[in-house]
Amino acid sequence: MIPYGKQDITDGDIKAVIDVLTSPHLTQGPAVPKFEQDVIRHCNAKYAVAVNSATSALHVACLAMELGAGDWLWTTPNTFVASANCALYCGAKVDFVDIDPRTYNMCPVALEEKLVNAERQGRLPKVVVPVHFSGQPCDMRVIHALSEKYGFGIIEDASHAIGGLYLNEPIGNCRYSDITVFSFHPVKIITSAEGGMAVTNNEKYAEKMALLRSHGITRTPSLMTKPMEGSWYYQQVDLGFNYRMTDLQAALGGSQMSRLSHYVARRHEIAKRYNRLLADLPVITPWQSKDGHSAYHLYVIRLKLDEIGRSHGEVFEALRAKEIMVNLHYIPVHTQPYYQNMGFKLGDYPEAERYYAEAISIPLFPALKEVEQDYVVASLTELLQQ
Ligand SMILES: *Cc1c(COP(=O)(O)O)cnc(C)c1O
């Protein structure tokens, strides 16, 4: 069985976690701030707030930007549901911007058209969430310029993209956004088992997100609304959650960070080999913009269905029958029943829907062996050439 993605765990990772297990602090100890520092140093951002998932990071990021009832959040339909759900947690409304058929990211032209209409109707978004799909950065310069013109905030969903570059700078430096969010789920670029992080250069947002991850409770006198009553004292000054990352998770994440550049390089190596080996098959291989260096979380092929004697579903199931655990990223969010109940319908975002009807994510992870890759290619060749 070859999965589409898989974590890579070394003896060093295991030792880092065991060291925490035998230390005084399983949670709220030194490993979390250390992991945050590792990520900040890599990204060249000012502040980081580690939490228990990217979903939690998206939620507290939206709250820090004061997204609430009556506000709109826009994202792409080609994403995991969490990029949209975060708005609903805050009582805000969600809308989508269709994708660019070449990058599968939010299309900046479609975004601008939608903004022009929204301005006329008085329903401009408060927050836009571009998702760096498969690790390839969105056109952030254009999206940022639009944010200045139309007055919205930007949260980058970089769940796929830690270790990638945009205009030769690390994704996560927040040069073109307010906050960037990473996921450390095991299928992503680096893992902390479960975990996520929000990075920002805005001190107020960082303070607010740190408060919200732990019940809205502070022990910092400057954040309190009345004087300390003693050394036992803390104040709840906001309504927060328990979204804390444990030290076990942070130790694993921190240990993985040391291999981030190796992982991304290895993913590029595998992707390049796929590009070469799949060149003559009736598939579209991932197009890469010169503005970015992808973290290559996913390698997605699009089937040229009019040149193939099988349906998309048949190819997908045949690969799985061959123990190649391909996947499909993503079912357009607006076609999910929960979103259809909100009024979205098939046909709303045709590029994302067309993409969904042709896309397959094939195995890509650092430990993928050449023989395994050759088996994937041979299986695809057999299925697509008859
Ligand atoms: C994985 C993922 C998330 C959610 O990450 P969790 O850490 O599992 O909460 C959000 N957005 C995108 C694009 C993702 O791929």
Side-chain angles (χ1 to χ4, degrees):
M1 201 266 287
I2 311 174
Y4 83 90
K6 192 170 94 178
Q7 71 273 19
D8 174 64
I9 301 293
T10 65
D11 289 346
D13 293 340
I14 293 167
K15 181 171 183 309
V17 175
I18 290 174
D19 285 348
V20 171
L21 267 175
T22 54
S23 82
H25 298 285
L26 302 188
T27 188
Q28 295 177 287
V32 171
K34 186 178 168 302
F35 183 28
E36 289 171 339
Q37 288 305 313
D38 289 344
V39 173
I40 288 172
R41 210 174 308 119
H42 165 78
C43 293
N44 202 13
K46 284 203 181 125
Y47 309 100
V49 179
V51 287
N52 57 2
S53 70
T55 304
S56 303
L58 285 163
H59 185 193
V60 294
C62 287
L63 290 173
M65 297 184 69
E66 299 185 336
L67 188 77
D71 294 329
W72 287 93
L73 175 147
W74 291 4
T75 187
T76 163
N78 185 33
T79 187
F80 186 56
V81 291
S83 320
N85 288 346
C86 56
L88 306 179
Y89 298 154
C90 302
K93 292 173 281 188
V94 177
D95 209 347
F96 301 95
V97 178
D98 209 353
I99 62 167
D100 176 330
R102 209 156 55 153
T103 61
Y104 319 142
N105 277 332
M106 175 183 284
C107 172
V109 177
L111 174 62
E112 181 160 22
E113 278 169 14
K114 199 176 173 93
L115 287 165
V116 169
N117 285 327
E119 187 174 42
R120 248 185 257 131
Q121 297 161 3
R123 42 170 282 182
L124 282 169
K126 183 158 190 174
V127 171
V128 171
V129 180
V131 178
H132 304 316
F133 178 77
S134 77
Q136 167 152 254
C138 294
D139 203 338
M140 291 309 300
R141 245 184 334 194
V142 175
I143 296 172
H144 181 256
L146 290 169
S147 80
E148 302 215 302
K149 181 166 177 195
Y150 292 95
F152 56 83
I154 300 175
I155 301 171
E156 293 174 68
D157 184 342
S159 292
H160 299 182
I162 195 167
L165 302 174
Y166 178 64
L167 299 173
N168 294 316
E169 292 181 2
I171 292 173
N173 69 357
C174 299
R175 185 182 291 283
Y176 301 101
S177 66
D178 297 283
I179 299 170
T180 300
V181 165
F182 298 121
S183 171
F184 307 125
H185 182 277
V187 297
K188 309 290 165 80
I189 307 288
I190 62 159
T191 189
S192 61
E194 294 280 0
M197 205 177 287
V199 294
T200 181
N201 296 322
N202 181 313
E203 188 181 4
K204 286 275 167 253
Y205 292 159
E207 232 168 43
K208 180 87 172 181
M209 292 190 290
L211 202 58
L212 292 173
R213 89 173 143 186
S214 197
H215 308 281
I217 282 173
T218 184
R219 291 177 186 276
T220 308
S222 64
L223 296 178
M224 293 185 179
T225 59
K226 52 182 186 171
M228 292 269 285
E229 289 171 10
S231 55
W232 67 85
Y233 196 61
Y234 60 81
Q235 275 186 12
Q236 185 188 343
V237 295
D238 206 332
L239 182 62
F241 314 90
N242 181 350
Y243 280 172
R244 291 188 304 263
M245 176 182 279
T246 66
D247 277 48
L248 296 167
Q249 293 168 312
L252 176 55
S255 179
Q256 293 248 314
M257 267 307 277
S258 65
R259 294 193 306 286
L260 177 59
S261 61
H262 160 74
Y263 285 152
V264 172
R266 181 74 192 114
R267 286 173 175 277
H268 272 266
E269 219 170 77
I270 297 167
K272 248 188 218 144
R273 194 158 181 270
Y274 269 137
N275 290 344
R276 185 159 50 77
L277 298 174
L278 300 175
D280 295 329
L281 291 185
V283 300
I284 299 168
T285 54
W287 183 84
Q288 299 293 296
S289 159
K290 281 196 272 303
D291 286 348
H293 183 71
S294 179
Y296 253 121
H297 166 51
L298 300 172
Y299 191 95
V300 177
I301 55 170
R302 273 181 89 158
L303 305 183
K304 296 180 179 170
L305 289 169
D306 48 0
E307 299 175 29
I308 300 169
R310 295 173 204 263
S311 72
H312 176 243
E314 283 165 356
V315 174
F316 191 99
E317 300 301 348
L319 287 166
R320 284 215 166 171
K322 289 172 182 292
E323 304 269 299
I324 301 168
M325 291 298 118
V326 289
N327 215 318
L328 212 176
H329 304 90
Y330 285 98
I331 306 162
V333 178
H334 70 283
T335 68
Q336 293 289 355
Y338 190 82
Y339 281 85
Q340 305 247 287
N341 287 341
M342 287 166 42
F344 293 101
K345 45 186 198 317
L346 210 63
D348 283 349
Y349 304 99
E351 291 297 350
E353 292 169 22
R354 245 192 306 277
Y355 161 85
Y356 170 62
E358 300 171 357
I360 299 179
S361 304
I362 64 176
L364 173 59
F365 50 89
L368 184 69
K369 296 192 195 81
E370 238 171 56
V371 288
E372 293 174 320
Q373 196 178 13
D374 289 340
Y375 175 67
V376 173
V377 171
S379 303
L380 272 168
T381 306
E382 179 198 328
L383 287 164
L384 301 181
Q385 278 186 341
Q386 44 182 299

